[in-house]
Amino acid sequence: MRQNCSVAELLRSEMDKLTPTERKISRVLLANYPVAGLETIAQLAARVEVSGPTVLRLVSKLGFDSYTAFQAALRGELEARLQSPLVRREVGMAAEGTDFLADFVRRQTELMQQTVANVSQAEFDGAVELLADPKRRVWLLGGRLTEPLAAYLAHHLKVVRSQVTLLRPLPTSWADNLVDMGKHDVLVVFDIRRYWQDAQRMAEMAAQRKVQVVLFTDQWLSPVSRCARYTLAAHTAGPAGWDTNTPLLMLVDALIAAVNTRHWGDIHERLHELERMRAELGEGDESMRR
């Protein structure tokens, strides 16, 4: 089994290598993650309508010696989802005589490398194509600590395409937007542990309206992943106790760069027009100041 990799990431990355029956089990596990995997072998097999030995073969392919070890990994993830910064803080980071900045950067680099190793190319490319499609309206939503990331992505997308809306993190205002969403829309959700139930409900309601949901989350997977078309999961466990947004920002920057690079033919005319308008508006501002 790969190091520092969640069970969900294993399931997603190995999906193409599994038999049809094993993929069926994987989809059930991901659809109710991680709770479905905490059932007994008999219960999970009955839920999926497969045999117990088939469940065990999948667990073995994921790199676990036993179903007990598989469930222990899931319980560890469930505990990690709920941990507060008081529990997560690594005491060694504050040891006297250590180079905090160098250690911090080294850890950030490791997290970004782990993120890249576990993000599916198909998931990333799918998200790029959705967000670059000019026929689709794009809505973005972030939480208490991720709203700046949603705003950052929204500002970039507004430069290269039209119909981009950043939603306020106020659930009481979402119905006004949700009523206008449909099958040609994309909802981008940022959700990291400890997950935002309101965002989950918003994503579920959008998916019911055939909206394509793109999720930015951590390696433990927000419940929004159950209704997401594409999920981009970053490794975010920061050494100081607080989860870090740096790997998530890396994914956002990579997505922005991919949209610009792969769709430059559609974008450059818009940019020329924007630059012309900005120049004219700038000249108008100068005359007013005089």
Side-chain angles (χ1 to χ4, degrees), residues 58-75:
L58 171 62
V59 168
S60 178
K61 283 188 177 181
L62 295 177
F64 294 97
D65 296 332
S66 65
Y67 194 70
T68 300
F70 171 74
Q71 289 192 317
L74 288 176
R75 289 192 182 94

Side-chain angles (χ1 to χ4, degrees), residues 188-199:
V188 181
V189 177
F190 289 79
D191 191 30
I192 58 176
R193 68 174 180 180
R194 296 170 273 180
Y195 306 109
W196 191 13
Q197 289 187 347
D198 290 325

Side-chain angles (χ1 to χ4, degrees), residues 63-106:
F64 294 97
D65 296 332
S66 65
Y67 194 70
T68 300
F70 171 74
Q71 289 192 317
L74 288 176
R75 289 192 182 94
E77 290 181 27
L78 190 59
E79 181 180 347
R81 281 184 172 203
L82 303 175
Q83 284 178 348
S84 77
L86 291 171
V87 177
R88 298 179 212 152
R89 180 175 175 271
E90 296 179 13
V91 178
M93 285 293 293
E96 186 175 352
T98 62
D99 187 335
F100 185 92
L101 179 59
D103 287 347
F104 186 84
V105 171
R106 175 187 55 78

